[in-house]
Amino acid sequence: YLEAAFARQSEGVLLHVVSMDVVIDPEWGDACRQETRDFWLRGALDGFVQGGLCGPPCETWSQARFADLGDEQGRHPRPLRSLEWLWGLPSLSLREQGQVAVGNELLLFSIDLLICLARSEGLGVLEHPGEPEDETKPSIWRLPIVQLLRQLPGFDFVDFAQGLLGAKSPKPTRFLTLNMASLPRFLHSHRLCKKRGKLAMFNVR
């Protein structure tokens, strides 16, 4: 869709949309490889990568891990992070440590990419579940590095309820945007519902 839209409006300029995923390419789609990260970050600094849409995994941050399911045997996934230990609790199993390590690495790559795009005046979005109402729960939006980025020129938070686009649940989502001031107006213009629960979209500046 982006390639077709860009071709109609930007004659003489070719846009390639790349989906970075190990399923598509086990080498250049693997953000856990240092060589792969260096390749894409250098591309952003040099201006060959003009934008990035980042969705680092949320499984280790999920608020569902804190739900009380009444399971006496504790078989449901347990919390792996806390407000004090945002990068991962100190006492985890080897499997859990691996989950947290991969989640951290992909999140940090997304942040690095946005920083490189900011230096080259590119565009960027980092998407993750919205900040929880419970101030004691962990969230990437409570990381000091993310709070710092929000204060820099061109960066902003955009909160949006995906239920406004027709989802059955509100599904609150937050974007950390880079040089995309028109995004809230664009999202509002494509709303399918006037209201979904008590949630709405707004900018936090």
Side-chain angles (χ1 to χ4, degrees):
Y1 172 82
L2 286 174
E3 289 175 348
F6 195 85
R8 292 194 300 268
Q9 301 175 16
S10 304
E11 186 176 351
V13 179
L14 182 62
L15 173 70
H16 287 293
V17 178
V18 177
S19 181
M20 189 179 173
D21 195 305
V22 292
V23 174
I24 296 174
D25 191 300
E27 182 176 356
W28 299 111
D30 185 0
C32 289
R33 293 181 67 249
Q34 185 64 51
E35 297 85 349
T36 301
R37 292 196 298 271
D38 291 344
F39 174 82
W40 292 111
L41 295 178
R42 174 53 56 187
L45 288 172
D46 291 342
F48 292 107
V49 177
Q50 285 289 301
L53 174 58
C54 308
C58 62
E59 60 172 348
T60 60
W61 298 91
S62 175
Q63 299 306 301
R65 291 180 174 272
F66 295 88
D68 184 5
L69 303 179
D71 184 355
E72 296 181 358
Q73 297 182 351
R75 292 180 179 177
H76 60 278
R78 63 177 182 169
L80 303 182
R81 306 176 189 269
S82 70
L83 188 61
E84 181 183 4
W85 298 94
L86 289 172
W87 293 108
L89 292 169
S91 299
L92 299 174
S93 68
L94 291 177
R95 181 176 179 276
E96 290 170 337
Q97 289 180 37
Q99 285 181 287
V100 169
V102 171
N104 289 345
E105 198 161 17
L106 297 179
L107 173 59
L108 287 171
F109 171 70
S110 299
I111 292 172
D112 283 343
L113 181 62
L114 289 183
I115 292 173
C116 291
L117 288 169
R119 292 175 58 185
S120 62
E121 300 182 349
L123 308 173
V125 176
L126 191 158
E127 175 270 339
H128 223 246
E131 186 172 6
E133 294 182 3
D134 188 338
E135 295 181 356
T136 67
K137 296 295 192 297
S139 169
I140 71 165
W141 309 118
R142 292 171 179 166
L143 289 167
I145 181 61
V146 175
Q147 290 290 333
L148 175 62
L149 281 181
R150 179 197 174 193
Q151 304 302 319
L152 299 179
F155 286 96
D156 203 357
F157 281 168
V158 174
D159 286 351
F160 186 68
Q162 293 189 37
L164 298 175
L165 299 179
K168 293 182 178 179
S169 62
K171 198 173 183 181
T173 301
R174 174 170 287 178
F175 304 128
L176 173 63
T177 63
L178 169 63
N179 297 329
M180 298 190 69
S182 63
L183 181 62
R185 184 172 64 255
F186 178 83
L187 290 174
H188 268 304
S189 69
H190 289 82
R191 287 171 55 169
L192 299 178
C193 308
K194 292 183 178 180
K195 187 176 182 181
R196 173 61 72 171
K198 297 181 180 180
L199 295 175
M201 185 185 68
F202 57 94
N203 250 342
V204 181
R205 296 185 180 277

